[in-house]
Amino acid sequence: MIKNMKPLILITNDDGITSKGIAFLVNVMHKIGEVVVVAPDSPQSGMGHAITIHDPLKYHESDLFEKLNIKAYQCSGTPADCVKLAKNHILDRLPDLVVSGINHGSNSSVSILYSGTMSAALEATIEGLPAVGFSVCDYSHDAEFTHTESLITQVASKVIDQGLPKGVALNVNFPKVSEEPIKGIKYCRQAKGKWQEEFDERVDPSGRKYLWLTGKYVLSDEGEDTDEWAINNNYASVVPAKIDLTDHEYLKELLS
Amino acid sequence: MIKNMKPLILITNDDGITSKGIAFLVNVMHKIGEVVVVAPDSPQSGMGHAITIHDPLKYHESDLFEKLNIKAYQCSGTPADCVKLAKNHILDRLPDLVVSGINHGSNSSVSILYSGTMSAALEATIEGLPAVGFSVCDYSHDAEFTHTESLITQVASKVIDQGLPKGVALNVNFPKVSEEPIKGIKYCRQAKGKWQEEFDERVDPSGRKYLWLTGKYVLSDEGEDTDEWAINNNYASVVPAKIDLTDHEYLKELLS
């Protein structure tokens, strides 16, 4: 990076370009670099690492962040599509950092696998770019984000300065705002748990059954070194997440 | 499992219930257990670990495998939805094995992250069920699968007998059919690589631009212990894949 050039920061998310979380992230990142936004034109929660291959992609410029003099593009695709599109089609130089979020809702524990927010970050990692996904444990449309600003700045600045190992992105989750400020950052592992599904069965006006997928998260991990423990104890959790899914330990066993 | 009860095998895929690959897998699994099929009603390739939360799910019984006396259901959702629906809503006992595929096309290397086939297997793993995803490196609609039968039987039988460690699914990829039979199974790690994107830009009849996402896989890994090496040398690759994405090695470094 040329010293007198501001770091280029690509921002995307999975709640869509008009969500409150991305607007907050744009304002925070604007203070530390040159920002370009490429984000889905509609909410994409739960999209995991989906990409668009059977339909064409569309995108156009948006004036949403014009007041800050920030270029923004809204895209018909998924969060992972947005990263591919930005890097390979829109940007004229490589970003120094890719940030995704702030997601309205937790992406800790096993939720990372369903998360559009983190799939955008992991897609950037595949592309060799340092990337961080940010989420706040508050699913509401009007979630509060101000309590996360200083820690977001701290994490993002550190990654811009020092980079990340190849093949690793950071999954950062913040507790919901409370009276107490967040105690700081905890580096931790992904907690074991799962979403316990319930299918809410209904009947449509023509008599056909349909289901709504609902569920609650069930933690099955008592570890104090996990992201769930950190969040529940008012820390921001930072999990280094790999794109190599190989279980190297079990592989050794299989080969022995 | 009660000794005189056949193992229950749940089959799903991401190419849709009418694809040739799932029909082949149903026929193979039928020889070793009681089979139930719950699969998407339309192709879901590239859906990653997407789940359906903003739309209702629909499903109904299908007579596609009636001749084999096999219960089958087609579902409006993603591969991961199918597994959730099967386990929590359709099946009356836990399956002894969940198999996904056979996918028309490779899911080796980094493609595992985009793969609906493997997301179904990993969803089963989250649910605590032993699971295997099968893919053949042939994207055609009419791909050949017969050369994989004995190895599929071998892998599936071993998993039914011995189970898998918690949190691990198997990602099995077969080379495209050739004159030589497949040499056997190689346990291996996920190769490093990425899809090099090209965006094919076009203009619709109203003058608006749209893009098709295309790309070619670029391998950046010379290792002979990788899935890519195995496939390119006419072996079936078997990668044990984890649902814990934590980079434990880097985490140790961060904590020291």
Side-chain angles (χ1 to χ4, degrees):
Chain A
M1 194 172 65
I2 299 160
K3 282 267 176 207
N4 59 4
M5 202 189 255
K6 273 182 160 186
L8 179 60
I9 302 170
L10 170 65
I11 304 186
T12 190
N13 78 340
D14 80 339
D15 292 314
I17 196 164
T18 58
S19 70
K20 189 175 167 186
I22 197 169
F24 185 82
L25 192 55
V26 167
N27 275 284
V28 176
M29 290 298 116
H30 182 54
K31 296 174 191 167
I32 59 176
E34 182 194 338
V35 169
V36 175
V37 178
V38 182
D41 56 18
S42 60
Q44 299 278 329
S45 299
M47 282 307 281
H49 209 114
I51 49 172
T52 304
I53 47 182
H54 294 303
D55 294 299
L57 279 179
K58 290 177 186 166
Y59 77 98
H60 61 82
E61 242 185 289
S62 153
D63 57 9
L64 262 174
F65 303 107
E66 210 176 36
K67 274 189 191 161
L68 296 171
N69 209 14
I70 286 173
K71 286 235 178 207
Y73 303 84
Q74 60 185 76
C75 168
S76 62
T78 65
D81 289 332
C82 289
V83 172
K84 286 178 186 289
L85 186 69
K87 186 198 168 223
N88 299 300
H89 195 77
I90 295 177
L91 298 176
D92 51 17
R93 62 181 168 117
L94 287 181
D96 302 287
L97 176 67
V98 179
V99 290
S100 178
I102 305 173
N103 190 61
H104 295 235
S106 167
N107 280 315
S108 58
S109 179
V110 79
S111 297
I112 190 174
L113 291 169
Y114 309 102
S115 163
T117 305
M118 280 309 297
S119 81
L122 293 169
E123 181 61 39
T125 304
I126 293 171
E127 291 280 2
L129 306 170
V132 185
F134 293 106
S135 306
V136 164
C137 298
D138 183 345
Y139 290 89
S140 82
H141 179 72
D142 196 38
E144 182 59 50
F145 296 103
T146 47
H147 63 303
T148 67
E149 174 160 357
S150 65
L151 292 174
I152 287 179
T153 304
Q154 184 184 319
V155 171
S157 304
K158 191 176 167 191
V159 173
I160 290 172
D161 285 351
Q162 301 176 12
L164 284 172
K166 267 190 189 175
V168 179
L170 299 182
N171 182 17
V172 181
N173 282 269
F174 297 104
K176 192 175 170 171
V177 70
S178 70
E179 278 167 33
E180 237 190 300
I182 296 172
K183 285 178 192 155
I185 278 168
K186 276 249 189 250
Y187 293 111
C188 33
R189 65 175 173 86
Q190 177 185 321
K192 294 182 183 85
K194 66 166 189 166
W195 287 86
Q196 184 78 52
E197 266 71 40
E198 279 155 40
F199 288 90
D200 182 355
E201 192 170 299
R202 303 189 183 185
V203 178
D204 76 12
S206 322
R208 284 173 300 212
K209 281 193 294 191
Y210 65 97
L211 303 158
W212 286 101
L213 177 56
T214 65
K216 60 172 198 288
Y217 176 73
V218 182
L219 178 66
S220 55
D221 195 328
E222 299 294 309
E224 298 194 357
D225 55 348
T226 68
D227 49 4
E228 288 294 320
W229 188 92
I231 296 161
N232 292 333
N233 286 275
N234 206 27
Y235 288 94
S237 66
V238 180
V239 174
K242 288 162 65 166
I243 53 172
D244 177 9
L245 268 53
T246 312
D247 186 333
H248 289 275
E249 226 166 288
Y250 181 48
L251 178 56
K252 260 185 220 159
E253 220 176 282
L254 287 169
L255 290 170
S256 66
Chain B
M1 193 172 65
I2 301 161
K3 281 263 176 211
N4 57 5
M5 202 188 255
K6 274 183 157 182
L8 179 61
I9 302 170
L10 171 66
I11 303 185
T12 190
N13 78 341
D14 81 338
D15 292 313
I17 196 164
T18 58
S19 71
K20 189 176 167 187
I22 197 169
F24 185 82
L25 193 54
V26 167
N27 276 284
V28 176
M29 289 299 117
H30 182 55
K31 297 175 191 167
I32 60 176
E34 180 193 339
V35 168
V36 176
V37 178
V38 183
D41 55 19
S42 60
Q44 299 277 328
S45 299
M47 282 306 282
H49 210 114
I51 48 171
T52 304
I53 48 183
H54 294 303
D55 293 298
L57 280 180
K58 288 177 189 167
Y59 77 99
H60 62 81
E61 243 184 288
S62 153
D63 57 10
L64 263 174
F65 303 107
E66 211 176 36
K67 276 190 193 162
L68 296 171
N69 209 14
I70 286 173
K71 286 235 178 206
Y73 302 84
Q74 59 184 76
C75 167
S76 62
T78 65
D81 289 333
C82 288
V83 173
K84 286 179 187 289
L85 186 68
K87 186 198 168 225
N88 299 300
H89 195 76
I90 294 177
L91 298 176
D92 50 17
R93 61 180 169 118
L94 287 181
D96 301 289
L97 175 67
V98 179
V99 289
S100 179
I102 303 172
N103 191 60
H104 296 234
S106 167
N107 280 315
S108 59
S109 180
V110 79
S111 297
I112 189 173
L113 291 168
Y114 309 101
S115 162
T117 306
M118 279 310 297
S119 80
L122 293 169
E123 181 62 38
T125 304
I126 293 171
E127 291 280 1
L129 305 170
V132 185
F134 293 106
S135 306
V136 164
C137 298
D138 183 344
Y139 290 90
S140 82
H141 179 70
D142 197 39
E144 183 57 51
F145 297 103
T146 47
H147 62 304
T148 67
E149 175 161 357
S150 65
L151 292 173
I152 287 178
T153 304
Q154 184 184 320
V155 171
S157 304
K158 190 175 168 192
V159 172
I160 290 173
D161 285 352
Q162 301 177 11
L164 283 171
K166 269 190 188 173
V168 179
L170 299 183
N171 182 17
V172 180
N173 283 269
F174 297 103
K176 193 174 169 172
V177 72
S178 71
E179 278 165 35
E180 238 190 297
I182 297 173
K183 285 179 192 152
I185 278 169
K186 276 253 187 246
Y187 293 112
C188 33
R189 65 175 174 86
Q190 176 185 320
K192 295 182 183 86
K194 66 166 189 164
W195 285 86
Q196 185 77 51
E197 264 73 39
E198 278 154 41
F199 288 91
D200 181 354
E201 193 171 299
R202 304 188 182 187
V203 178
D204 75 14
S206 322
R208 283 172 301 210
K209 280 192 293 190
Y210 65 97
L211 303 160
W212 286 102
L213 176 56
T214 65
K216 60 171 198 289
Y217 176 72
V218 182
L219 178 67
S220 54
D221 195 328
E222 299 294 307
E224 298 194 356
D225 55 348
T226 68
D227 49 4
E228 287 295 321
W229 187 92
I231 296 161
N232 292 333
N233 287 274
N234 206 27
Y235 288 95
S237 65
V238 180
V239 174
K242 286 161 67 164
I243 54 173
D244 177 8
L245 269 53
T246 312
D247 187 334
H248 288 276
E249 225 166 287
Y250 182 49
L251 178 55
K252 261 185 218 158
E253 219 177 280
L254 287 168
L255 288 170
S256 68

